[in-house]
Amino acid sequence: MMHHFEHAFCSYKYCLTKQNIKFSLDPIWFVLHSKLSIALDINSTCAKVAFVIISKSMNSPTPQFVPSRLSIYEPIHQIGIWGENFKRNGNPNTSTSLIVEVDNKLENESETTSHEMLAPTNNYEQEASKPIDKIQRRLAQNREAARKSRLRKKAYVQQLENSRLKLIQLEQELQRATQQGLYMGGVLEGSHIGFSGTVNSGIAAFEMEYGRWVDVQHRQICELRTALNAHISDIELRILVKSGMGHYFELFRMKSTVAKADVFYVISGVWKTSAERFFSWIGGFRPSELLKVLVPQLDPLTEQQILEVCNLKQSCQQAEDALSQGLEKLQETVSSTVAGGPVAEVSYIPQVATAMEKLEALVSFVNQADHLRQETLQQMSRILTTRQAARGLLALGEYFHRLRALSTLWVTRPPEPSLP
Amino acid sequence: MQQAIPYKSWPLPCIDATSHRARSTTTLGHNGRGKDVLNIVSENAVIVLARKGCCMSHVVRRLLLTLGVNPAVHEIDEEDEAGVLNELGTICKGTENNKMVQLPAVFIGGRLFGGLDKVMATHISGDLIPVLKDAGALWL
């Protein structure tokens, strides 16, 4: 409705200018004009009312001017008539009551500018141009605001589109990464492809977590190194030792979770680098080997400590042997189960199903092996002083770091020269 | 592998039945009844209760053997398992054993010692051999 009035006013102004009418004749005009300019911006209903009131007072044929049904072209004609009426009936006296009425209708929405316009002056001419300009300016502002709003909307929609595309890209990347993770396992095991979604997600989640674990490990090693060189207090060192130990325990927890998803994945050490895998024992490092690496780095040790470390080495060895033998027994059991019944027969489902059940014991083996590693680390921390423990953790972390570097170097080694 | 020293039965304060019979066989066979199990537990310095064909019990046995202990092994059938565990839960033990007994379960000196976890942890910390000696399972 609003833009109709806009048009009405523009065209009216045009008409009047063309006819060179000084429309300063009637106070009503000013009131109407200023109020309506505000009304245009704010409330079309009041403007409608104002129009009806004014037109009725003119005793002019009103039917032509129907505010509710203004089309773009009508007002030009109607306002032309209206202008004629003004010419004919310029009667200030009849207008006072109307001013009041119009005022009342529009009072709520009046701005400061309107008050200035209320006082009728004799010099309407100059001030007549101001309201027109005001309307012009306001219309221009409206157009500008609308244009800006359209541009903003366009920009926002563009942003949404971009975000949507990015999301699709990320999803595809994730899909690809999961597939690759699967393929890695597939290369060595040949059994991961075709697994259900939950297994994939367990392994994918572990691989992501493990990547982060290695990064944190590296950071902790650097911190330990700096701390030891800086000769910080034992209390502070104790905190570093505790967090270092806790970090290894965190890895054991992660492994326990993924073992439930796929125990073969853990036990074959797919997630490790090739050099680490070479030393792997039931999905991780062998505790007795660990001690062999650590002890030379811990000199000097007291007599008591040497004895305790020796005992620990022996206990580790015994526990490892027990676990290894248990694992052998499991292999025998599974093997005999799978081979059970005449091998010449085609049907093998019951044997394989039974073997599956027995393989569940593998999860216990992984857990027991990690438990042994954890206990070994804790016993070492009991035997050693804080400073020695810090050095031990540093040595351990550095050792694995070098194994990983060895793996990387191995992968990038130059190809074998071709035979002559 | 060390030669296992034949062990002697140990008289216990909380269980009535005591026997001084020395046992040379290691497997006692599968007698699933609760009361009988209690007797067996009390009669042996070290005994491992396990499910049939459990590989973990094998691990425990091998570990104890390397230490010089010849543990008795009592295998429990699947159908008797619940009953046996209930009976075991009522034996007077230390205050820590409020949970259900997990198999394989190791009894030292007639008392429930724990599962494979406990045995491993105790051995690494160097406390297992003294416990075995106290129970008369190990003589050096």
Side-chain angles (χ1 to χ4, degrees):
Chain A
M1 179 52 107
M2 287 306 219
H3 53 272
H4 286 136
F5 285 114
E6 278 183 55
H7 274 283
F9 261 111
C10 291
S11 347
Y12 185 29
K13 187 189 69 183
Y14 177 77
C15 288
L16 293 177
T17 329
K18 276 208 98 171
Q19 291 164 46
N20 211 17
I21 291 169
K22 297 200 174 14
F23 41 82
S24 52
L25 299 169
D26 205 309
I28 297 173
W29 165 243
F30 274 108
V31 170
L32 177 63
H33 203 153
S34 57
K35 291 291 190 189
L36 277 172
S37 69
I38 301 153
L40 277 177
D41 294 342
I42 299 162
N43 194 333
S44 63
T45 322
C46 294
K48 269 193 265 180
V49 171
F51 261 121
V52 171
I53 290 166
I54 300 302
S55 53
K56 279 205 172 118
S57 78
M58 296 299 160
N59 297 323
S60 58
T62 49
Q64 295 110 324
F65 200 49
V66 182
S68 58
R69 267 205 75 250
L70 275 181
S71 65
I72 293 172
Y73 299 105
E74 264 181 41
I76 298 169
H77 174 68
Q78 288 166 359
I79 288 166
I81 298 171
W82 198 16
E84 303 259 313
N85 290 338
F86 259 118
K87 269 197 287 184
R88 264 188 269 125
N89 303 335
N91 190 351
N93 295 327
T94 57
S95 61
T96 38
S97 58
L98 285 164
I99 292 169
V100 174
E101 273 177 72
V102 173
D103 259 340
N104 284 339
K105 293 283 187 257
L106 296 174
E107 190 113 47
N108 300 334
E109 289 108 6
S110 62
E111 294 171 4
T112 39
T113 48
S114 63
H115 293 296
E116 292 164 31
M117 295 300 187
L118 273 177
T121 65
N122 283 322
N123 197 358
Y124 293 141
E125 206 171 328
Q126 286 110 317
E127 288 177 88
S129 58
K130 280 196 209 155
I132 297 289
D133 282 351
K134 234 185 163 29
I135 290 175
Q136 282 280 51
R137 215 181 23 229
R138 207 164 292 248
L139 291 173
Q141 278 170 359
N142 279 353
R143 273 197 298 277
E144 192 59 37
R147 194 172 68 87
K148 283 199 181 126
S149 171
R150 278 196 294 276
L151 284 173
R152 270 202 306 272
K153 182 179 175 187
K154 197 170 169 203
Y156 177 67
V157 167
Q158 190 69 35
Q159 205 183 26
L160 275 180
E161 283 292 318
N162 290 346
S163 302
R164 198 174 130 265
L165 281 173
K166 190 139 192 241
L167 182 66
I168 292 172
Q169 260 181 345
L170 281 173
E171 277 179 0
Q172 280 175 350
E173 262 184 57
L174 189 64
Q175 183 89 359
R176 241 177 279 130
T178 314
Q179 297 278 354
Q180 275 180 7
L182 269 185
Y183 182 72
M184 268 265 303
V187 166
L188 290 159
E189 291 285 307
S191 59
H192 287 263
I193 302 161
F195 261 64
S196 69
T198 43
V199 175
N200 299 352
S201 64
I203 291 175
F206 175 81
E207 289 196 336
M208 261 175 46
E209 273 189 79
Y210 182 65
R212 278 197 295 267
W213 187 91
V214 171
D215 290 337
V216 174
Q217 176 78 339
H218 190 71
R219 184 169 50 79
Q220 283 185 345
I221 299 302
C222 296
E223 273 176 14
L224 271 173
R225 195 177 282 122
T226 349
L228 283 169
N229 289 335
H231 302 289
I232 65 171
S233 75
D234 264 15
I235 300 165
E236 287 168 347
L237 209 53
R238 184 104 211 110
I239 297 168
L240 285 177
V241 168
K242 263 192 125 53
S243 74
M245 302 263 288
H247 197 54
Y248 281 108
F249 302 162
E250 179 63 37
L251 180 61
F252 300 147
R253 273 195 294 276
M254 282 160 55
K255 281 165 74 183
S256 177
T257 310
V258 79
K260 289 189 198 111
D262 184 359
V263 71
F264 283 126
Y265 175 81
V266 178
I267 235 177
S268 41
V270 176
W271 44 285
K272 292 172 170 248
T273 60
S274 27
E276 286 175 295
R277 225 177 290 134
F278 176 55
F279 294 101
S280 185
W281 172 78
I282 313 187
F285 60 81
R286 197 182 263 272
S288 53
E289 282 292 324
L290 187 82
L291 293 175
K292 284 187 198 143
V293 168
L294 284 188
V295 171
Q297 305 281 333
L298 301 172
D299 282 334
L301 290 172
T302 68
E303 286 262 338
Q304 177 68 17
Q305 282 180 325
I306 294 172
L307 181 64
E308 284 178 332
V309 167
C310 205
N311 287 340
L312 180 58
K313 250 193 232 174
Q314 195 186 29
S315 308
C316 273
Q317 196 67 58
Q318 288 164 340
E320 282 166 32
D321 287 346
L323 277 173
S324 295
Q325 285 176 31
L327 202 57
E328 270 176 37
K329 175 117 193 296
L330 182 62
Q331 275 184 339
E332 283 170 29
T333 315
V334 171
S335 177
S336 61
T337 308
V338 168
V343 184
E345 294 272 319
V346 178
S347 159
Y348 56 78
I349 304 298
Q351 286 91 334
V352 173
T354 317
M356 276 271 287
E357 278 173 32
K358 295 194 187 289
L359 278 175
E360 282 169 20
L362 259 183
V363 180
S364 310
F365 274 99
V366 169
N367 289 336
Q368 287 299 331
D370 278 345
H371 178 69
L372 183 62
R373 291 173 188 116
Q374 183 156 332
E375 289 299 320
T376 307
L377 286 171
Q378 281 185 326
Q379 178 68 2
M380 277 301 276
S381 77
R382 273 179 233 131
I383 295 172
L384 301 172
T385 65
T386 309
R387 193 153 289 269
Q388 285 170 328
R391 278 173 29 215
L393 277 175
L394 175 59
L396 188 61
E398 184 62 25
Y399 176 67
F400 289 126
H401 179 70
R402 289 184 190 178
L403 279 182
R404 279 182 224 120
L406 174 60
S407 307
T408 315
L409 206 61
W410 177 256
V411 167
T412 58
R413 75 192 186 284
E416 299 260 319
S418 53
L419 296 167
Chain B
M1 205 179 78
Q2 295 172 333
Q3 270 280 322
I5 303 165
Y7 53 85
K8 212 162 64 176
S9 311
W10 199 250
L12 296 155
C14 63
I15 313 277
D16 301 56
T18 55
S19 163
H20 294 276
R21 283 172 292 150
R23 290 184 187 275
S24 52
T25 56
T26 53
T27 311
L28 300 169
H30 19 280
N31 185 350
R33 307 243 183 81
K35 285 244 153 39
D36 297 324
V37 171
L38 283 181
N39 286 338
I40 293 161
V41 162
S42 61
E43 285 167 8
N44 292 281
V46 181
I47 178 165
V48 180
L49 289 176
R51 289 186 201 99
K52 255 174 94 173
C54 175
C55 293
M56 284 303 164
S57 72
H58 191 76
V59 174
V60 179
R61 267 190 69 220
R62 298 244 53 107
L63 181 60
L64 291 172
L65 281 169
T66 54
L67 299 180
V69 178
N70 197 358
V73 177
H74 183 79
E75 288 178 336
I76 303 172
D77 288 325
E78 237 179 281
E79 54 261 22
D80 302 321
E81 197 174 309
V84 169
L85 290 178
N86 271 330
E87 281 293 333
L88 292 172
T90 61
I91 301 176
C92 55
K93 294 183 194 61
T95 47
E96 43 174 297
N97 301 324
N98 292 321
K99 311 176 229 177
M100 276 285 282
V101 177
Q102 293 246 330
L103 295 179
V106 178
F107 289 81
I108 299 179
R111 286 172 162 271
L112 174 66
F113 184 73
L116 180 58
D117 269 4
K118 184 88 196 288
V119 172
M120 288 284 192
T122 320
H123 184 51
I124 293 297
S125 61
D127 298 326
L128 187 60
I129 292 186
V131 168
L132 290 170
K133 280 190 187 161
D134 281 345
L138 253 187
W139 293 346
L140 268 175

